[in-house]
Every structure is written in C-alpha cells, then in structure tokens.
C-alpha cells in the first residue's frame, strides 16, 4: 500500500516490501527492481527539487534522501553498493551524470532533461521579459522572485543553455565578474 | 706352567663353530690358510701345531684341526685353563710383523710382535687381584649386549667389534662407562663366566681369584640380572668385609642398594666407589693370599707377560704347507687399515670403497648418519606398505573367485531344489525331503557369513559380456539398492533426494566386492529411470553437484511447491524450508537458488539493522525468500505533477 511521507511524497507500495532493498542475483528481477528504483529516485527528486544524490546518503542518516533510501518500518535500507549500481544505471540511461565528473559517488539527476530545462529557462525569460538582455548565471539560479529555475546547479544550467545555443536561442557571454547568457526569441530553427 | 704369550693375548674360541659365525657384525674375513702352526714366543706351542689360520679385519683366528681338540686338553679340568686349542687374537695387539721366507726344512713364518700390556702401567704389579678392576672394562666387550646411547637414546645392536661398540652407531658419541655398565645386559651363555661363590668370608679370596681370569669378561653373575661391574665389585668387597654393602646417599643419607646409581629417595647421584681396587688392595689378607696362591699365577698372565722385554713378546705363525706370501700381504694390508679403530668420518671413507653393507649400516655417525637412518627406515616402511597392498590385491582376486564359487554353489542348490520340488511337490510334507534343504540352508548361511550372500549377488563385468547389457543389469541392481524390495528398505525410501556420491558409496557397500567405479555409475544413471518406479532421475545442480531424486524433487515440481509454500506460509529462510522438507541445508539452498534463477522468487537479505556503515555489507546475511512481486508491478506511488 502506498504511504505518504512527512514531506508529502506518496511512496509506492513496493517500498514496503523487504526484497526491494536487496540486490537480486536474477538479472530479470534485478532489472525490474532497478527500473522501479530509478523511477522512485527521480520522482522523489522532482518532488523535493533535489538535484544531487550521493553514496553518502545511503551511508549516513539525516540527509534529504532518508525517506526513500530507508524504511524504518520494515527495518531495511539501501546498501551503499546497491545505491552505487543504481546510480550507474541512472548514468547509463542518461538520466543523470556524475557531477563533479571523474568520480562515481555523486550524480546530478536529470528529472528534467537538459533540453527540458532549456525550454523552461526560455519560457521563464520570455514570461519575465528578459529576452535579449544579459543574465548572469547567479540571476537565473537565485532570482529575487522564485522561479522554476531557482536553485538549479550551474552545471545543469550550463547544459540547458548549451541545448538552447544549438537552436540559436542563447549565447554565452564572458563577463568580468563571471559568465552571462543572452537569450533570444528565436523559434528554434 | 710358564707364562704363555698366547694365553695372555688370545681368547679361546669354540672351534666347532665356523669362523664366519664368530665374527662381529662389522668384521669381515679377509684370508684363510690351513696347515699352520703357532709358536708361543720362540718355542712351538704344543696344542697349536695343526690348524687353520684366518685373518679378519679385526682379529686373527686359529682354528685347530681334528674335530674337538679342545676336549682332548686334559688341562681343561683346571679352572683357570681357559685357552683351548682354538683361539682368537685381536689385531690391535700387533705392533709389528716380520716375515721369514723359510729355508730347506724350516717353514715360512710370520712373526707378530705384540704390544706391551697396558695394565702394568696402571695397576701396581704386585697386586694380581687389581687386574680385576681393570678387567671390569672388559665387561663392555661382551659382544652380545645391547646398550642405549645416553646422548641420542639409540639402541646399539649387539655383535659389533669392541671399538665400534664403544661408540654410538647413530650419533658417534663415545659410550661412557656408566652407561656401559648400566646398559649392558649380560648374555646368559657367556664364555668363561664364572659362578659366583656364596658370600662366605672364608672363601672370598678363592672366589676373587676365580673371577680374575685373564679373559674374564664375566663380572656380573650369570643369573641374568643386569649388574654394574662397579657394583659387583663393591658387593664382593662388602661381602668380604661383612660390613655395609649399601651406599649412603650424600644428600639424604638413605642407604641405597649398591646397584643403584642414583639415590632411591632424592635422586642424587651416589658416590661412585672407585675405591674398589684400592680397598681390595688395602686388604692385606686378600692380596697376600692371592699373590701367594699358586693357582693365581696363570689367572693374571698379563702381569707376568708384562715382565718380558719388548723383543720377547711375539708369536709366530708357521706355514707348513705354504700360502705364506699371499697371507702375509693380506695381513699387512689389514694391519694398515686398522679397522678396529673407530674414527668419525673414517667409516665414511670406507663406505665409499664399497665395503660390506654391514659396515656401512653400522658405521654412520653424526647428523648425516641420523638422516640416513631416517631415510632408510622410511624406505623400509614404504617397502612394507607396498608388500602389504600386494597382499590386498591378491585378496581381491581371490574374493572374486570366491564369489564365482559361491554363485555356482548357489545355482546348483537352487537347481536341485527346483528339481526336487517339480518331482515331488509334497516332499516337504514327509521327513525324507527335509535333509537336503537343511544342508542347503547351512551352505547358504555359511556363504552369507562370509559376506557372499547370493540372493543379491553383485553383478560383475565377467557375468555379462555385453557392455550395454551389463550397464542395464547394473541399473537394475542400483534400483534395488535405492528403492529396495518388499523386505529391504532402499536407501531412498525415506528420502526423495540424495547425492550421487552417497548413492555410490551405499551401492558399493551393498556389493561388497567387485566395486563399481564412479564412471560406471555415471553410465548407469541414465538407465535408472527405466528401472525404477517412481522413476529416479538425475539432476545436476548449479554448483555441479549431481543428485538422484524422486519426481517431487524435479525442478518444476520443487519450484511450484516452494513458491506455494512462500505464498501460503509467508517468506521463509532456507534453513526453515530445509527443516520442513527434511533436506540438508546445502541441498535445499542449491535447489532454491535454481528456483530463484527462474525468477519465481526473490530474496531479502536481512542485515544488521543498526549497521549504518558500509562495513555492514561484509557481514553474513540471512536470506529470506519472497515471492517475486516485481514482475507485473504497477507503479502506485506519487505521480509526477507536470
């Protein structure tokens, strides 16, 4: 049975089944299991607007991911090794990237793909009338008025801008005190 | 009787024994020559005029001719007449040799100059009896005694030459006087062992003389009790004095038996009574009587011979019928070899020259000797083992014959019985027909007692020539062993599954003879289902373990049963299920893992709940089995708001 967490997230019923927290030797079973985990992680990240998940989250308590990686009611938790393989699957499915690169203990989750983020950014800039002006990364990441982009990590923002640049709707501009971006109203040709 | 040099140096030997039997174990015979006479000093020795001379590595033997010349000696009756016509002389006494080629009627001669007696320098020559204390050293010379080395505990064998006997054959450590005295067990039949006189003070001197014979190796009473020579001396002394023959312990003052070397109470070493000779010398009565007694003269001839000048101490060998030259060559070579001297490393060289195996075996010393001993004993052990197994193989062959014989007997019995039954079905009713079954039963029971019961006669390859038929027969037999019949309960009656190894062991135990090799068993297994009901199938588990199983333990049946068990009874562990099924845990685990491979179940590893560190990964986890709920699962969690 589905269960509501203190943060208001509706956990799937499978989260209350102990084998869900064990890696299965059977490849078919394990594939199904991983699929469910992937969905759960991305869904929860979207719910909490979490951009990162780290191996440490499985090793220690008190993090943002406790509600998902642990189930105190059945006394089960995801083992760090298990989480590591889950993260590898996420990266392989292009649903996440290792961030910072060249390590495997922390991933940046794409609960929206960089392209989607680019569209979101463009929509936000259009709706707030900031096209054709130069926006610093800081202005996008931490705007005075909360936006869908509030709190987006620079690495993800850079990817989103890169996807817009491909369609000629954004241009990275080097500034003295950092980087900026100018968005255009292009239709995406 | 004049002092005879032969008496002084030579020991009498029994000439009825062939000379080879008189040799020490490490002694070898080098040359022999007959028709030889002996000169005792310058003059001919009357009893030794015709005989055979033998030279060995250690000694010279003179064996008198003519049957039993020792019996012809009238002087044999005298107690001190110790020298028979046949004698042996240690080459160690020979200092120098001379060769005389002979001239006209004078025969060729070899002169042997002898060493001056050592005893004269050590003992006061006036006291004839003191020689006894030094002859106690000769007690070690008893060639028929074994002794244990104090250092390495090696039991040295009897029969070695005196020099070799004084050194441990294993470790090369010289034999100490104490261990010699304690370790040597007197042989019951020692030449010239003299009966000890009763402890009568008046006869003491006489007994004293009697034991101071020139070659008296006999100090211990011939009763067979091991007595240290020192102790026996002291005892005699104590008897002579009629006073304390017990030895007082210096530590606890306990009066110990004189034979003891350590205090019986406190273990302190007892004072050695070296005073044996001096005390006897200090007894004027003893000394005087022995000196004045005429019978004592020949008892210590060495003392007399010692008075001779060096040039006079010689004996001559006169070669009446030639053979002198080769003999002299051998003698000189033997003297040069000095085989009687034992030196460490010396025998090592001898072994290289390929001497007799006895020499190489006994003359090892030091660590290499110990190693060699260990090696040789290991080799002999392996030889023994192979011999033993040869016997076993022969037994196996015989056993097969026995089986054949038993089968024939059984066949004949059955045939006779059938015939009789067909002729007269009512034979059992009257008394006449009862005899034969009794005999048959007797024979059969005898066969059964021999382990050759023919009711389930093992099928051997000889019985069935055709290989295919043979395997089929075997399968039938195995089916009987596994499933049993109306009388016997088969191995698999109670159990639905069993390892092939167990089946193999049980089958071979049932057969008893003509055991089946594993390859044949594996050939037999495919035929087994055809001969069993319900069919027993073979199944190879993931780990490679092959099992025989009844239908309920086939993979599908088992899967269904296990999944059903989980569904109805809830998740369970391997151990629980194994107990429920009466399986071994390992076997149950293997089969459940096979079910898991199919995806019917999934696992839940219960780890230490408190373990929040990565280390808890390493901990052993108990696996609880669940029905696989992932297949067909539909997401029922939060749906993404978009």
């Amino acid at each position: 049975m589905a269960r509501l967490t203190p943060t208001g997230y509706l956990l799937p019923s499978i989260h209350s089944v102990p084998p869900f927290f064990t890696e299965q030797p059977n490849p078919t079973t394990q594939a199904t299991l991983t699929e469910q985990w992937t969905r759960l992680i991305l869904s929860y990240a979207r719910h909490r607007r979490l951009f990162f998940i780290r191996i440490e989250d499985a090793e220690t308590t008190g993090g943002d991911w406790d509600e998902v990686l642990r189930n105190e009611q059945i006394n089960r938790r995801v083992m760090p090794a298990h989480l590591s393989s889950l993260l590898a699957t996420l990266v392989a499915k292009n649903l996440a990237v290792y961030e910072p690169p060249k390590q495997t203990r922390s991933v940046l989750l794409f609960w929206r793909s960089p392209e989607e983020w680019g569209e979101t950014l463009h929509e936000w800039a259009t709706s707030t009338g900031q096209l054709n002006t130069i926006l610093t990364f800081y202005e996008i990441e931490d705007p005075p008025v909360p936006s869908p982009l509030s709190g987006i990590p620079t690495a993800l923002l850079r990817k989103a801008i890169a996807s817009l640049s491909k369609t000629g709707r954004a241009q990275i501009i080097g500034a003295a005190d950092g980087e900026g971006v100018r968005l255009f109203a292009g239709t995406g040709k | 009787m004049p002092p005879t040099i032969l008496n002084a140096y030579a020991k009498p030997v029994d000439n009825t024994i062939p000379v080879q039997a008189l040799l020490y174990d490490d002694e070898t015979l080098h040359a022999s020559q007959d028709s030889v006479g002996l000169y005792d000093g310058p003059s001919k020795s009357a009893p030794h005029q015709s005989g055979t001379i033998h030279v060995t590595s250690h000694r010279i033997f003179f064996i008198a001719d003519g049957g039993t010349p020792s019996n012809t000696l009238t002087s044999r009756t005298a107690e001190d007449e110790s020298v028979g016509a046949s004698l042996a002389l240690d080459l160690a006494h020979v200092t120098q040799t001379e060769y005389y080629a002979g001239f006209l009627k004078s025969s060729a001669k070899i002169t042997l100059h002898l060493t001056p007696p050592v005893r004269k320098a050590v003992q006061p020559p006036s006291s004839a009896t003191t020689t006894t204390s030094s002859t106690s050293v000769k007690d070690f010379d008893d060639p028929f005694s074994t002794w244990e080395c104090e250092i390495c505990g090696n039991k040295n064998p009897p029969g070695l030459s005196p020099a070799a006997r004084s050194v441990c054959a294993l470790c090369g450590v010289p034999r100490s006087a104490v261990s010699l005295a304690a370790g040597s067990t007197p042989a019951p039949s020692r030449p010239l062992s003299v009966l000890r006189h009763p402890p009568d003070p008046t006869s003491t001197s006489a007994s004293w003389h009697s034991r101071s014979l020139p070659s008296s190796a006999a100090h211990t009473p011939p009763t067979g009790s091991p007595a240290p020579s020192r102790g026996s001396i002291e005892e005699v002394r104590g008897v002579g004095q009629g006073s304390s023959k017990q030895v007082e312990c210096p530590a606890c003052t306990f009066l110990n038996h004189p034979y003891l070397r350590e205090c019986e109470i406190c273990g302190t070493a007892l004072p050695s009574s070296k005073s044996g000779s001096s005390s006897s010398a200090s007894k004027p009565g003893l000394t005087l009587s022995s000196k004045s007694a005429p019978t004592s003269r020949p008892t210590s001839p060495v003392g007399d011979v010692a008075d001779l000048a060096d040039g006079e101490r010689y004996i001559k060998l006169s070669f009446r019928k030639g053979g002198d030259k080769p003999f002299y060559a051998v003698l000189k070579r033997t003297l040069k070899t000095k085989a009687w001297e034992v030196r460490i490393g010396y025998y090592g060289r001898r072994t290289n020259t390929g001497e007799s195996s006895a020499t190489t075996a006994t003359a090892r010393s030091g660590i290499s000797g110990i190693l060699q001993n260990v090696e040789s004993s290991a080799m002999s052990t392996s030889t023994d083992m192979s011999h033993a197994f040869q016997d076993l193989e022969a037994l196996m062959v015989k056993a097969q014959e026995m089986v054949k014989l038993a089968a024939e007997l059984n066949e004949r019995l059955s045939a006779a019985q059938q015939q009789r039954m067909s002729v007269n079905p009512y034979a059992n009713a009257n008394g006449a027909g009862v005899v034969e079954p009794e005999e048959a039963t007797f024979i059969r029971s005898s066969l059964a007692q021999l382990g050759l019961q023919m009711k389930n006669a093992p099928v051997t390859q000889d019985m069935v020539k055709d290989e295919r038929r043979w395997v089929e027969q075997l399968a039938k037999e195995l089916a009987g062993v596994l499933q049993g019949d109306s009388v016997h309960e088969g191995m698999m009656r109670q159990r639905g599954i069993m390892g092939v190894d167990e089946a193999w062991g049980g089958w071979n135990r049932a057969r008893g003879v003509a055991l089946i090799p594993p390859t044949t068993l594996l050939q037999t297994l495919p035929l087994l289902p055809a001969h069993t009901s319900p069919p027993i199938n073979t199944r190879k588990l993931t780990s490679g373990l092959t099992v025989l199983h009844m239908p309920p333990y086939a993979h599908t049946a088992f899967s269904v049963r296990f999944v059903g068990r989980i569904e109805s009874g809830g998740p369970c562990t391997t151990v629980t299920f194994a107990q429920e099924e009466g399986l071994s845990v390992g076997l149950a685990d293997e089969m459940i893992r096979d079910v898991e491979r199919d995806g019917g179940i999934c696992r839940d590893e219960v780890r230490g709940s408190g373990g929040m560190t990565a280390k808890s990964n390493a901990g052993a986890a108990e696996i609880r089995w669940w029905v696989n709920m992932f297949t067909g699962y539909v997401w029922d969690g939060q749906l993404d708001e978009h």
Side-chain angles (χ1 to χ4, degrees), chain B residues 434-605:
Chain B
V434 182
V435 186
E436 211 173 341
E438 255 178 21
E439 286 169 347
T441 317
F442 174 72
I443 291 175
R444 279 201 178 134
S445 68
S446 306
L447 290 173
Q449 277 170 359
L450 285 168
L452 300 170
Q453 197 163 14
M454 296 321 293
K455 198 164 191 180
N456 43 8
V459 181
T460 61
Q461 197 158 13
D462 316 330
M463 294 185 188
V464 187
K465 296 287 175 237
D466 185 18
E467 169 116 5
R468 241 191 81 79
R469 277 205 55 212
W470 182 54
V471 175
E472 212 156 287
Q473 292 284 328
L474 285 179
K476 263 183 209 164
E477 187 182 304
L478 179 58
V481 170
L482 293 177
Q483 295 192 316
D485 46 39
S486 51
V487 186
H488 299 88
E489 194 161 63
M491 288 173 74
M492 287 182 77
R493 262 295 142 89
Q494 300 286 338
R495 309 158 50 185
I497 190 163
M498 152 188 285
V500 165
D501 51 342
E502 199 183 337
W504 180 65
W507 188 18
N508 273 335
R509 201 161 51 188
R511 285 175 71 88
V513 290
L515 304 183
I516 293 295
T519 48
T520 313
L521 174 69
L522 293 178
Q523 282 179 348
T524 312
L525 290 181
L527 298 175
L528 197 55
H531 297 281
T532 47
S533 155
I536 293 178
N537 279 292
T538 314
R539 179 173 163 197
K540 192 160 188 167
L541 297 172
T542 321
S543 69
L545 176 72
T546 312
V547 292
L548 299 175
H549 65 90
M550 301 279 210
Y553 288 89
H555 178 58
T556 23
F558 184 80
S559 290
V560 168
R561 193 146 38 98
F562 185 59
V563 173
R565 157 74 179 80
I566 295 173
E567 275 172 349
S568 60
C572 72
T573 62
T574 304
V575 177
T576 320
F577 188 70
Q579 282 170 351
E580 285 171 12
E581 288 275 312
L583 293 172
S584 73
V585 175
L587 200 56
D589 186 54
E590 291 251 12
M591 293 172 65
I592 291 172
R593 271 162 207 268
D594 276 3
V595 178
E596 183 192 26
R597 204 141 33 95
D598 289 353
I601 52 170
C602 64
R603 60 172 63 194
D604 163 34
E605 282 175 41

Side-chain angles (χ1 to χ4, degrees), chain A residues 10 13 26 59 76-77, chain B residues 596 603-604 611-612 636 638:
Chain A
L10 186 71
S13 62
N26 184 322
E59 288 168 351
R76 294 289 183 278
R77 66 189 181 99
Chain B
E596 183 192 26
R603 60 172 63 194
D604 163 34
M612 291 303 172
D636 57 355
Q638 182 148 335

Side-chain angles (χ1 to χ4, degrees), chain B residues 9 136 144 159 189 237 257 265 396 497 502 584 610 622:
Chain B
Y9 285 97
S136 70
F144 306 106
S189 64
R237 176 172 60 93
H257 192 273
I265 301 298
M396 282 298 289
I497 190 163
E502 199 183 337
S584 73
E622 193 189 9

Side-chain angles (χ1 to χ4, degrees), chain A residues 8-10 12-14 17-19 22 24-26 29 32-33 36 39-40 47 59 70 75-77 79, chain B residues 596-599 602-607 609 611-613 616-617 626 628-630 633 635-638 640:
Chain A
Y9 181 77
L10 186 71
S13 62
I14 204 169
V17 178
T22 303
Q24 301 294 331
N26 184 322
T29 315
T32 323
L33 186 80
Q36 303 300 337
R39 180 162 184 181
L40 175 61
H47 173 75
E59 288 168 351
R70 287 163 196 278
N75 196 17
R76 294 289 183 278
R77 66 189 181 99
M79 289 297 144
Chain B
E596 183 192 26
R597 204 141 33 95
D598 289 353
C602 64
R603 60 172 63 194
D604 163 34
E605 282 175 41
V606 186
R607 294 178 193 269
S609 55
M612 291 303 172
T613 60
S616 62
N617 268 338
W626 288 69
N628 191 347
M629 79 291 289
F630 299 114
Y633 170 76
W635 181 262
D636 57 355
Q638 182 148 335
D640 301 338

Side-chain angles (χ1 to χ4, degrees), chain B residues 267-491:
Chain B
T268 313
L270 294 175
S272 59
S273 54
K274 290 238 165 60
S275 55
S277 58
S278 62
S279 71
S280 63
S282 68
K283 287 279 154 199
L286 272 175
T287 319
L288 278 176
S289 66
S290 60
K291 204 180 174 186
S292 58
T295 51
S296 72
R297 292 284 295 173
T299 63
S300 57
V302 172
D304 301 316
V305 174
D307 297 334
L308 294 169
D310 278 0
E312 295 169 30
R313 271 193 303 271
Y314 61 86
I315 60 169
K316 282 195 221 173
L317 317 175
S318 175
F319 292 83
R320 306 266 148 75
K321 285 182 184 167
D324 46 312
K325 267 188 183 163
F327 187 87
Y328 187 59
V330 170
L331 179 66
K332 285 204 82 160
R333 205 170 59 229
T334 309
L335 285 169
K336 215 176 264 180
T337 314
K338 288 189 194 252
W340 55 90
E341 282 182 27
V342 176
R343 269 172 283 160
I344 290 176
Y346 175 71
Y347 278 104
R349 261 181 280 133
R350 278 190 59 161
T351 52
N352 290 341
T353 61
E355 288 276 339
S356 69
S357 61
T359 313
T360 60
T362 53
R364 290 187 205 119
S365 63
I367 291 177
S368 67
I370 293 173
L371 288 174
Q372 272 181 345
N373 264 19
V374 169
E375 234 169 68
S376 67
S377 72
M379 202 184 289
S380 71
T381 310
S382 70
T383 316
D384 289 349
M385 292 271 279
S386 62
H387 279 305
F389 283 123
Q390 269 178 1
D391 291 353
L392 203 65
E393 276 162 23
L395 188 71
M396 282 298 289
V397 172
K398 286 286 173 205
Q400 222 157 7
E401 283 174 17
M402 286 300 288
V403 169
K404 206 181 276 178
L405 180 72
E408 276 173 15
L409 266 174
N410 200 52
E411 257 171 47
R412 221 174 290 171
L413 282 174
S414 309
Q417 207 164 6
Q418 272 176 0
Q419 204 175 7
R420 194 167 40 75
M421 289 294 275
S422 60
V423 168
N424 183 7
Y426 309 106
N428 281 337
N430 51 37
V434 182
V435 186
E436 211 173 341
E438 255 178 21
E439 286 169 347
T441 317
F442 174 72
I443 291 175
R444 279 201 178 134
S445 68
S446 306
L447 290 173
Q449 277 170 359
L450 285 168
L452 300 170
Q453 197 163 14
M454 296 321 293
K455 198 164 191 180
N456 43 8
V459 181
T460 61
Q461 197 158 13
D462 316 330
M463 294 185 188
V464 187
K465 296 287 175 237
D466 185 18
E467 169 116 5
R468 241 191 81 79
R469 277 205 55 212
W470 182 54
V471 175
E472 212 156 287
Q473 292 284 328
L474 285 179
K476 263 183 209 164
E477 187 182 304
L478 179 58
V481 170
L482 293 177
Q483 295 192 316
D485 46 39
S486 51
V487 186
H488 299 88
E489 194 161 63
M491 288 173 74

